[in-house]
Amino acid sequence: MGWNTLDDMDLAGKVVLTRVDINVPVEDGKVTDATRIERIKPTIDTILAAGGKAVMLAHFGRPKGQYVPEMSLRVTVPTLEKVLGRPVTFIEKPDRAAIDAAPSDAVILIENTRFTSMETDNDPKMAGFLASLGDIYCNDAFSAAHRAHASTEGVAKLLPNCAGRLMAEELGALEKALGTPERPVVAVVGGAKVSTKLDLLGNLISKVDAIIIGGGMANTFLAAQGVDVGKSLCEHDLADTARDIMAKAEAAGCQIVLPVDIVVAAEFKANAANEVLPVDACPADKMIFDVGPQSSKNIAAVIQSAKTLIMNGPLGVFELEPFQKGTFELLDEIARQTNAGDLISVGGGGDTVAAINMSGHGEDFTYISTAGGAFLEWMEGKTLPGVAALGG
Ligand code: AMP
């Protein structure tokens, strides 16, 4: 792979500028979920163990280039200190002298990089200033790597650079799933709309052997084939696009797996009266909320024949009882195959991670990416500027 890891760098006595993602949820001045902070610990520990000084760069919220007191990173300091098990020196207005003066056992956190619009503009002046603060640049924020900002891209080009532990782990897992995967590879693409996943489908067709399509977006594909989907969520104006995708998939030898039976209801609410019907029997006044049991069986068979699986999007309205069944049965099968050592499974995206956690399979995927936008752009085959800048 074309980037260095921390192991390739001589960190002793160096100031290691480390881009992290600690954009954690905060309520009443307290961090309510420390997951993102916990995930950067291996990188910080590695830098310190090698005798380097870790200086963290991070954004917090979207202050739009202004100083916004509620978006100060100071609020994260107590949690950082607890998780990292050492003092954290918070520097509001950074300069190299302040960094050099900080105690050698301390980790340094610099105030929200987005308090100036030079960050999101990727202004060379800001990149140059950041570079003057350190000797080595380490990017451990895969989730911010789809943005070309001064702290994710500009500065990387100005210093010897490397990927942090979390970034390397994420890139390694993604490479295994779509870069040089064990075949057959199957993709599960679900969720609400086709329109938000056109680039994704376009990229996957040429890379995977089968795409299982579920959720609201399956309705658009079904309708494009002449199936009446009643009052279901459906982008009828994308019928041509859906047919085009199916034709391209066929030409590329990529199997498209659509539901053969459906769960329908008249009301969008939990425990709404519902029934299982063949896919072409949706009543005119009802909506499709989930895939039916025969579809689940077909999907399980496709997964059983696969060696690698990548998933983005649920198969139904998994937030509402009992319309999570199709998604959960799919996740059960992925978990079974993964735990048996027969499948490499990678899932990502906000709703997908929520569904995986709800189903109790949070530990049963080979890798779960929490990097929403960056994960999607990577699945779309796009170059992530923050990764591309890690030229080694
Ligand atoms: P996305 O953000 O595109 O991955 O979409 C996720 C959302 O799609 C979830 O909130 C699901 O409830 C919703 N969804 C899945 N299946 C359906 C469906 N058949 N009808 C309406 N919404 C759905």
Side-chain angles (χ1 to χ4, degrees):
M1 290 183 214
W3 60 83
N4 291 318
T5 69
L6 284 165
D7 303 323
D8 299 314
M9 314 302 281
D10 180 10
L11 303 171
K14 303 278 172 47
V15 173
V16 185
L17 279 182
T18 309
R19 181 56 162 94
V20 292
D21 180 1
I22 51 171
N23 196 15
V24 287
V26 168
E27 260 171 54
D28 301 329
K30 292 226 162 57
V31 173
T32 54
D33 180 355
T35 310
R36 284 187 156 158
I37 289 178
E38 284 155 8
R39 294 187 83 187
I40 63 166
K41 185 170 159 59
T43 290
I44 304 299
D45 285 351
T46 303
I47 294 168
L48 297 170
K53 192 175 248 186
V55 176
M56 295 182 284
L57 301 173
H59 72 280
F60 190 45
R62 295 189 176 185
K64 306 218 166 94
Q66 306 292 322
Y67 176 77
V68 180
E70 306 80 65
M71 294 185 194
S72 169
L73 274 169
R74 196 183 282 280
V75 70
T76 64
V77 169
T79 312
L80 277 165
E81 290 190 326
K82 194 164 151 218
V83 171
L84 299 176
R86 62 181 60 247
V88 170
T89 302
F90 182 70
I91 301 185
E92 222 172 316
K93 298 248 177 287
D95 62 57
R96 182 68 192 242
I99 289 169
D100 288 338
S104 58
D105 67 333
V107 170
I108 294 164
L109 173 64
I110 288 176
E111 181 60 287
N112 195 342
T113 51
R114 289 193 190 163
F115 279 171
T116 162
S117 57
M118 294 200 309
E119 160 75 328
T120 46
D121 292 346
N122 200 4
D123 190 316
K125 274 196 229 111
M126 169 134 175
F129 171 70
L130 292 175
S132 76
L133 300 176
D135 307 309
I136 291 173
Y137 173 78
C138 168
N139 194 341
D140 209 25
F142 177 81
S143 50
H146 58 312
R147 307 201 189 282
H149 291 173
S151 73
T152 61
E153 204 259 3
V155 62
K157 294 184 168 162
L158 303 176
L159 289 175
N161 61 52
C162 67
R165 292 286 188 243
L166 179 58
M167 171 78 100
E169 183 188 50
E170 182 111 24
L171 290 174
L174 300 186
E175 174 68 15
K176 251 193 193 168
L178 275 194
T180 48
E182 263 196 76
R183 291 193 175 271
V185 192
V186 56
V188 178
V189 183
K193 291 184 170 179
V194 175
S195 51
T196 59
K197 297 196 180 167
L198 284 175
D199 288 347
L200 183 108
L201 290 165
N203 183 43
L204 290 177
I205 284 168
S206 61
K207 299 218 167 119
V208 306
D209 302 293
I211 305 179
I212 295 165
I213 297 181
M217 58 186 294
N219 302 337
T220 301
F221 280 87
L222 292 169
Q225 290 181 316
V227 174
D228 187 348
V229 296
K231 279 169 62 188
S232 304
L233 176 65
C234 180
E235 292 166 290
H236 291 284
D237 54 327
L238 287 183
D240 283 341
T241 308
R243 282 191 288 266
D244 187 45
I245 289 170
M246 284 190 278
K248 285 196 175 123
E250 192 172 354
C254 170
Q255 184 195 359
I256 299 276
V257 182
L258 285 168
V260 292
D261 55 355
I262 49 180
V263 183
V264 303
E267 290 175 286
F268 191 90
K269 64 169 200 195
N271 301 311
N274 62 85
E275 60 184 325
V276 174
L277 294 171
V279 75
D280 56 359
C282 180
D285 58 345
K286 295 212 167 148
M287 292 169 278
I288 303 171
F289 286 156
D290 198 6
V291 298
Q294 186 54 48
S295 304
S296 287
K297 277 194 196 131
N298 295 354
I299 290 168
V302 175
I303 293 172
Q304 280 157 20
S305 70
K307 288 264 176 286
T308 305
L309 175 141
I310 178 144
M311 171 170 177
N312 177 265
L315 296 187
V317 186
F318 72 97
E319 300 95 334
L320 300 181
E321 279 278 339
F323 307 110
Q324 77 287 58
K325 199 157 182 262
T327 302
F328 280 17
E329 284 182 6
L330 159 86
L331 293 171
D332 288 346
E333 189 59 37
I334 296 172
R336 223 179 342 262
Q337 298 295 322
T338 306
N339 289 331
D342 294 333
L343 187 70
I344 291 166
S345 53
V346 176
D351 283 311
T352 310
V353 176
I356 293 171
N357 288 335
M358 261 174 79
S359 71
H361 289 306
E363 303 291 320
D364 298 330
F365 269 62
T366 311
Y367 193 76
I368 296 175
S369 172
T370 50
F375 177 77
L376 212 60
E377 289 200 21
W378 172 84
M379 255 182 108
E380 289 167 355
K382 295 189 177 142
T383 301
L384 306 183
V387 177
L390 295 180

